[in-house]
Amino acid sequence: MSGIKDVDLGKLVSITEPINAYGCTIGSYSKIGPFVEIQKDSVIGENCIISSHSFICSGVKIGDGTFVGHGVMFVNDKFDSPTIRDWKMKNTVIGKNVRIGSNATILPVSIGDNCIIGAGSVVTKDVPDNNMVYGNPARIKK
């Protein structure tokens, strides 16, 4: 499994290469598609699906049973530092049983359990449990 270094893999994890994963945790029974990068200090829960061409940066924690669509980008910076020397990583927490549509961009936020994130959305604010958001910027839809 080239491109995989220092990864804590759970039981029966399915990985379709090529991927780049290092210093992260991938929970049991999760499936990782091709062309995915999972950076250090990231955690993928159990029974998750991470679809192809997605980028999971340092500081992202994804809860059990979550689906991440194709080409989803996680960002660990709110671009609020005056200079690059002042930069500090921001964390992102995704709850359990979340569905994130393809090509969504997730800034450092908390997304609660059982949420749906529409395809192509840009999530800039926290999302409480049991909500659907979509758009740019993503807004709660009732």
Side-chain angles (χ1 to χ4, degrees):
M1 290 192 283
S2 62
I4 300 174
K5 183 177 178 183
D6 299 323
V7 175
D8 181 9
L9 287 174
K11 296 184 290 186
L12 300 172
V13 172
S14 171
I15 295 174
T16 303
E17 293 188 48
I19 75 159
N20 189 32
Y22 53 94
C24 60
T25 299
I26 302 173
S28 296
Y29 314 108
S30 289
K31 297 177 183 180
I32 310 298
F35 305 105
V36 168
E37 178 160 344
I38 306 170
Q39 294 186 327
K40 68 178 182 170
D41 302 322
S42 292
V43 176
I44 310 298
E46 294 187 355
N47 296 302
C48 291
I49 296 174
I50 310 297
S51 300
S52 69
H53 299 87
S54 292
F55 176 74
I56 301 168
C57 59
S58 296
V60 172
K61 182 178 180 187
I62 297 175
D64 296 343
T66 290
F67 172 84
V68 175
H70 301 280
V72 172
M73 299 293 135
F74 289 87
V75 180
N76 59 8
D77 189 354
K78 285 198 173 187
F79 304 99
D80 56 357
S81 302
T83 69
I84 194 67
R85 286 186 213 113
D86 299 319
W87 181 81
K88 289 184 176 51
M89 182 180 73
K90 309 283 190 313
N91 294 316
T92 300
V93 178
I94 308 299
K96 296 178 181 177
N97 303 311
V98 173
R99 305 292 177 259
I100 301 175
S102 294
N103 294 314
T105 300
I106 313 295
L107 273 65
V109 296
S110 292
I111 297 175
D113 295 342
N114 309 307
C115 288
I116 298 173
I117 310 301
S121 295
V122 179
V123 181
T124 61
K125 296 184 179 182
D126 293 349
V127 180
D129 292 349
N130 306 307
N131 277 285
M132 179 190 318
V133 300
Y134 55 88
N136 180 4
R139 298 194 193 288
I140 294 174
K141 307 301 176 181
K142 299 187 179 194

